[in-house]
Amino acid sequence: MNLFKTTVIAAAILGFSSLSYAEDKPLKVGLMLPATGTFAALGTAIENGFKLYTKEQGDKLGGRAIEFVKVDDESDPAKATDNVNKLIKGENVDILVGTVHSGVAMAMAKAAKESGTILIVPNAGAQAVTGPMCSPNIFRSSFSNWQPGYAMGEVVAQKGHKKVVTITWKYAAGDESVQGFKDGFSKSGGEVIKELNLPFPNVEFQALLTEIASLKPDAVYTFFAGGGAVKFVKDYKAAGLKDSIPLYGAGFLTDGTLEAQGGDGEGLLTTLHYADQLDNAKDKAFRTAYNEAYKLPPDVYAVQGYDAAQILKVGLDAVQGDVSKKAEFAAAVEAAKFDSPRGEFTLSKAHNPVQDIYLREAKGKENPVISVATKALADPAKGCAAN
Amino acid sequence: MDLSIFLIQCLNALQYGLLLFLVAMGLTLIFGIMGVINLAHGSFYMIGAYMAYALSPIVAHAFGGGFFSVLVIGLILAVILGYFLEWAFFSFLYDRDHLQQVLMTYGLILVFEELRSLLVGDDVHGVAAPEFLAGTIPLGDIMTYPVYRLFISAVCLLLALGMYYVFTRTRLGMMIRAGSTNREMVQSLGIDIKLLYRIVFAAGVALAAFAGMISAPVSTVYPGMGSQVLIICFVVVVIGGIGSIRGAFLAALLIGFVDTFGKVLLPEAAGVLVYVLMALILLWKPDGLFKTS
Amino acid sequence: MAETLLRGSDITQRWGGLVAVNAVSIELERGSVHAVIGTNGAGKSTLINILSGEFPPTEGKIELLGQEATHWSQAKRARQGLGRSYQRNTIFPDFTVFENCRLAAQAQVQRPWVWWNNAQKCKHSVTAANHALELAGLMSVKERFAGLLSHGQKRQLEIAMCLAIQPKVLLLDEPLAGMGAEETDRMLELLASLKRDHAILLVEHDMDAVFRIADRITVMVNGSVIASDTPDQIRVNADVQTAYLGGH
Amino acid sequence: MMDKFFSGKLLFVGLLFAGLALYPLVASSYGLDLVSKIMIYAILAMSLELLVGSTGLVCFGQAAFFGIGAYIAVMLSPESESGHLLWLLPAAILAAAVYALFVGALSLRTKGVYFIMVTLAFAQMAYYVVHDTKLGGGTDGIYLYFKPTLGSILDLNHPQVLYFFTWVFLVWTFIFLAILLGSHFGRVLAGIRINEQRMRASGFSTYPYKLAAFVTSGGIAGLAGFLFAVKDGFVNPEMMSWHLSGALLIMIILGGLGHLRGAIIGAFAFVFLQEFFKSSDIFGAFAKHWQLGLGFTIIACVAVLPKGLVGLPEVLRKRLYGGRPSSDAQIVLK
């Protein structure tokens, strides 16, 4: 890098960098995303999506040029507070964007709440972020773990299944997703006869698959992502269960994992706030642009990144780039309708997307939409004072 | 749990145990004989799995493919890697404090993880099992069992027997065993201990990589997979008694059973059971199940 | 009759089916050197380990200074006045010679809870260490690091560390191993001077040395005592000659 | 020669502490935060150094005591007001020490690598208890909404106050351990590290000594955990994961085993190296692959610094003035 930047760093370490940025200074956006570890690929997709949108806006939001500062959060909650402080206190960022891991997002939410920095969460579905931790300056462009689960609960009930077994990792995201499923499913008269868990991130499923076979439920609901999702789907097929006991899941089961699942995921039904072959112009344009920019097909994470930037733009436009006007920023965002590749969505009072959840069926390497499972679904946002 | 389900669970436990043994074998070799606490063992496993993924198109292009040619080429590369690593990073460490080796292997973990990210990327990948092993056999009324898993179990058993034979019946095995108990003595017998160590290390790396390659079709290939198996491997080796092939074998099966039935019968405590088992065994037998003298 | 400081009666040690020590009885008296000789694997080291408390015997009884001590820990025996040296040096190479002895002497006045006092200021251990070094003739190298001593000096230090705990009984496991003639002479002189106040058990392979210094010799073969007598009697004992000396 | 060497070390530590005390005068708020964190790690690393470097007990589960201290601090704090420092701090230390007593009493029956693994096992147990149960908020962790207070004297919400609060404990821990290691107790630990057999033969019952060291170490780790919880206001099961236990071992080995200041140096070096390689201003887009640089640096350290960073001056001296043989022996006074 150049000498100037190095000097700035040195100054920052020594502590002479408490310069405040005037309005014509670039807007500092802190990207706190995983660059290493299991979620590294997700972090990249989110960043790509975010930058695609800002590029479309001529690298300016709310009249201010944008400068990115990146921190690798390693998906490690034990380091999360320090990493987020590095952005808030060390780099004095105006906006905070992150992250994938729920535990890390929890730490970010706390730091953002205390410092008042605007935070946009582009993935982590922890309910607390828009629940007990909800705050005028915290927004989420993705989903809450509860949402896809709830929608799938309704779908599975409609299919006529009465007794269902759920299986997930024993961690917050899994618990919340299963809770959503139970809410949706039992409302329609279904019964979850057993909730199976295995320690995160253990991927030895055979024992639990055998247990499923012995319980003989009408269907199975599952929440897995990444490597665990690949292995679960393959093992489920190999155990011969796929043909006898239908498998349903939150969308991450087949998102970005179909290729690795090597055909074993074919035909799986999942619910998510995004799908392939959505019939809307925005999505088509987004896909073309993303493909051109990164030589990759976009995924749901890229959409979430893209929409995080959209949320930011709406807020910043309303305050002409002055991030200190938090109330106006929030009011504008709450009032806005976002034209997202996923379809139109709004933000609830707790700042979680109120969005359509799609039912998708895995075909080849894609998850084309079948129908809208639940229209304009809002997270109950338990514990949020604004709700 | 009726009888047929119970039997299937036993099969699951056995199969998982054998898989653990396969992965832990290389560790017990390096750990038991050279006394090196090799934190990078998981990385070698990861390297193996990624080789199974990344080499197959290359091999397919050059030799017309085949799972087994990938396996052979991967093994050769792993031996070369192990040989090189011992020469470059470990050969000067034996006289030093053991904890220095820990630091070294920790550094290697970081390096390998990033090289993986640079070379292959951070995506999750599946590896196809060879065609003729891809089928399943029916089990009970609605379950089936993948043939490839049975194949892995068979390979594990063969390897276990092979290792046992090498250790107890061959001259190399004798030298290795002697080298683990008394370095000076072996040296005074005119055996090149440096070469011996290099061979053992290379063999350990090759075993780990082999485990990664052969289990890639069932485990899938993903970032951070190495550190996941590392701790459980140490548990296997330590419960079994360091350096004992027999002990590692038994310990792996034990863990297989505890883990499998724990998940089903005591799901709340599934994560902690293995460690409770280890603590109990070591309190009962402070040197593991089979202490090598 | 001199005072018996350590008495082992009918000590037996079995390892599985193997009998390492078979019903051995031994008495150590103040003012005498009692040597135990025998071939490798005769059970000498096992015996010394049992007497010093490394592990309890399978059967038998041990009395230390008139007290039943069979189930005392090694540390307790040491505190009561039993010092032992090892075949392989157990000195602390990173410490000075003085500190080696001082640390050993500290065992007599353990006050671990006084964490604020520097150990070097502990009067008792400093005095005891100096005394031990004087006895062992190591005063001249007091401040040197123990790891840098010559082999003979290291063996002397090993003994000095035993003396630092002010023992009444000394169990010495091959103190002469690997020593040259001159070093051996010095060590024997040291042992002779210690004899007055201590009861000494000496396990040693150097026969000349043993016959020079021992007041009584016990001969062990395959874990059993085949003879126990004065050196002169042992020299002419027929059993010993066939079983041991003859086997040379 | 010896005296010079000794005072040189003392001077180094004195300057380090003085520098740390003056740092807030020039620090940015992030720098203050970062150094606070490193000081907490340094305390934690010293607690481990007491076991590994001073007693020869390689504990691979130090993170558990750290985590317990942190969790107790959060869980005992009232939900809607500040807890009292004089009750929360001792409680955190005590809880960690009690768990250390339990773990130590059992694990000290084993030796060597087996000891390493048993301590790991007990740490994993603690980890899974908070990870898999609702007790401490599960995998997402729990917040500390109000930092403990000491009446109105001490407001830990101010970063500077928190910084000095941590600094005081860092200095206290160092002095306490330095004195402890020079005392009867410490000398016995040193003896046990080198030759436990000789210590027993001299009349020391080594088990209680080791157990006492273990409990002391656990208590100090609990102190560090308390400070961490107060600083971040957020605790998560990952604080107890073996990754942290491993990183701590790396810190003290990197710094130089057998020296208290090595633990402090190691903590600083480890975190600074991470920050350095992560800096995108220096490495640009390659900062994403920061682990590569860190890994190679660690390997290089092993290769050229057998005694850790503490041995750096000696290595430099040799380079500069030629291979003058230096005493191979360790220094008695730490």
Side-chain angles (χ1 to χ4, degrees), chain B residues 31 96 100 114 242 283 287, chain D residues 109 113-114 117 289 302 306:
Chain B
F31 197 1
R96 301 239 201 114
Q100 293 270 318
E114 283 302 343
I242 293 161
L283 293 175
D287 293 316
Chain D
R109 287 165 44 92
V113 175
Y114 297 99
M117 296 310 287
H289 300 289
V302 180

Side-chain angles (χ1 to χ4, degrees), chain A residues 276-308:
Chain A
D276 292 304
Q277 297 172 21
L278 283 179
D279 189 21
N280 81 49
K282 178 78 186 173
D283 188 46
K284 283 178 187 131
F286 167 74
R287 290 192 163 228
T288 317
Y290 191 94
N291 234 324
E292 245 168 51
Y294 304 109
K295 312 286 172 251
L296 276 171
D299 54 16
V300 61
Y301 307 106
V303 172
Q304 290 166 176
Y306 188 82
D307 288 342

Side-chain angles (χ1 to χ4, degrees), chain A residues 103-324:
Chain A
V104 179
M106 297 280 284
M108 293 181 78
K110 178 164 194 294
K113 195 170 182 173
E114 281 169 6
S115 69
T117 312
I118 291 168
L119 166 68
I120 305 175
V121 179
N123 184 65
Q127 272 168 303
V129 171
T130 56
M133 281 309 283
C134 79
S135 166
N137 60 322
I138 297 177
F139 307 89
R140 178 149 59 195
S141 69
S142 51
F143 68 108
S144 77
N145 290 322
W146 182 91
Q147 285 178 314
Y150 181 87
M152 189 46 103
E154 292 191 334
V155 170
V156 173
Q158 279 160 21
K159 298 246 175 214
H161 300 305
K162 297 284 176 237
K163 291 179 171 11
V164 169
V165 168
T166 65
I167 176 169
T168 181
W169 275 317
K170 196 158 184 52
Y171 70 152
D175 291 346
E176 290 174 4
S177 180
V178 165
Q179 188 56 48
F181 177 82
K182 276 164 74 181
D183 288 353
F185 189 52
S186 55
K187 189 193 72 181
S188 317
E191 187 198 355
V192 172
I193 54 172
K194 186 141 192 178
E195 292 177 41
L196 298 173
N197 287 305
L198 75 165
F200 179 79
N202 190 317
V203 287
E204 189 54 35
F205 301 114
Q206 281 298 323
L208 297 180
L209 292 176
T210 307
E211 180 77 358
I212 289 174
S214 77
L215 290 167
K216 297 195 179 69
D218 299 340
V220 170
Y221 173 76
T222 184
F223 178 92
F224 285 114
V230 175
K231 187 163 192 301
F232 183 76
V233 166
K234 289 181 94 168
D235 287 1
Y236 197 80
K237 169 83 193 294
L241 295 174
K242 198 182 164 200
D243 301 323
S244 47
I245 305 173
L247 177 66
Y248 301 93
F252 306 101
L253 191 67
T254 53
D255 241 273
T257 54
L258 281 170
E259 191 172 354
Q261 282 156 354
D264 290 349
E266 190 71 17
L268 285 184
L269 295 181
T270 57
T271 44
L272 200 65
H273 49 285
Y274 187 61
D276 292 304
Q277 297 172 21
L278 283 179
D279 189 21
N280 81 49
K282 178 78 186 173
D283 188 46
K284 283 178 187 131
F286 167 74
R287 290 192 163 228
T288 317
Y290 191 94
N291 234 324
E292 245 168 51
Y294 304 109
K295 312 286 172 251
L296 276 171
D299 54 16
V300 61
Y301 307 106
V303 172
Q304 290 166 176
Y306 188 82
D307 288 342
Q310 285 210 59
I311 292 175
L312 185 57
K313 175 184 157 52
V314 167
L316 286 174
D317 279 350
V319 296
Q320 284 90 44
D322 181 359
V323 287
S324 63

Side-chain angles (χ1 to χ4, degrees), chain C residues 17-246:
Chain C
L18 182 87
V19 183
V21 175
N22 188 9
V24 171
S25 296
I26 194 161
E27 287 186 3
L28 302 184
E29 293 164 351
R30 189 196 297 276
S32 80
V33 173
H34 191 144
V36 176
I37 60 173
T39 46
N40 277 328
K44 306 181 304 275
S45 284
T46 310
L47 179 66
I48 221 173
N49 284 338
I50 289 170
L51 291 176
S52 71
E54 300 260 337
F55 41 79
T58 320
E59 282 162 32
K61 218 172 96 176
I62 294 161
E63 269 176 59
L64 180 60
L65 309 179
Q67 284 175 286
E68 158 79 48
T70 317
H71 299 289
W72 287 5
S73 70
Q74 182 179 19
K76 182 165 185 188
R77 289 181 211 201
R79 288 196 297 271
Q80 297 294 325
L82 178 78
R84 74 160 292 185
S85 76
Y86 288 87
Q87 210 171 326
R88 294 179 72 162
N89 284 332
T90 56
I91 59 173
F92 304 118
D94 300 352
F95 295 172
T96 61
V97 169
F98 170 75
E99 180 61 11
N100 266 276
C101 287
R102 197 207 59 73
L103 183 54
Q106 190 186 303
Q108 298 299 109
V109 279
Q110 294 183 46
R111 292 192 304 161
W113 51 88
V114 189
W115 61 269
W116 54 88
N117 263 359
N118 192 307
Q120 315 292 328
K121 291 184 187 138
C122 164
K123 279 206 193 76
H124 169 89
S125 58
V126 169
T127 319
N130 278 327
H131 184 65
L133 287 174
E134 201 130 7
L135 280 178
L138 286 170
M139 275 314 254
S140 56
V141 290
K142 187 175 156 183
E143 292 303 328
R144 204 177 291 175
F145 287 111
L148 304 177
L149 294 178
S150 71
H151 176 72
Q153 284 172 322
K154 282 180 182 161
R155 297 305 294 170
Q156 272 172 283
L157 178 57
E158 179 88 17
I159 309 269
M161 286 170 78
C162 296
L163 295 175
I165 67 168
Q166 300 175 323
K168 301 188 176 64
V169 181
L170 280 173
L171 310 180
L172 307 179
D173 200 351
E174 302 195 24
L176 303 173
M179 281 191 165
E182 209 172 301
E183 288 172 330
T184 302
D185 284 346
R186 203 178 317 141
M187 182 64 85
L188 288 180
E189 237 169 76
L190 171 61
L191 293 186
S193 72
L194 291 174
K195 192 162 99 171
R196 191 156 35 91
D197 294 326
H198 300 87
I200 300 178
L201 176 78
L202 177 69
V203 168
E204 188 49 64
H205 276 296
D206 183 341
M207 284 307 127
D208 294 337
V210 166
F211 280 97
R212 259 167 72 189
I213 192 156
D215 300 296
R216 192 174 180 84
I217 295 177
T218 293
V219 186
M220 286 178 74
V221 172
N222 291 333
S224 303
V225 173
I226 58 164
S228 183
D229 219 322
T230 58
D232 296 338
Q233 292 298 319
I234 290 292
R235 224 188 284 270
V236 296
N237 186 309
D239 286 346
V240 176
Q241 291 212 329
T242 47
Y244 182 47
L245 298 176

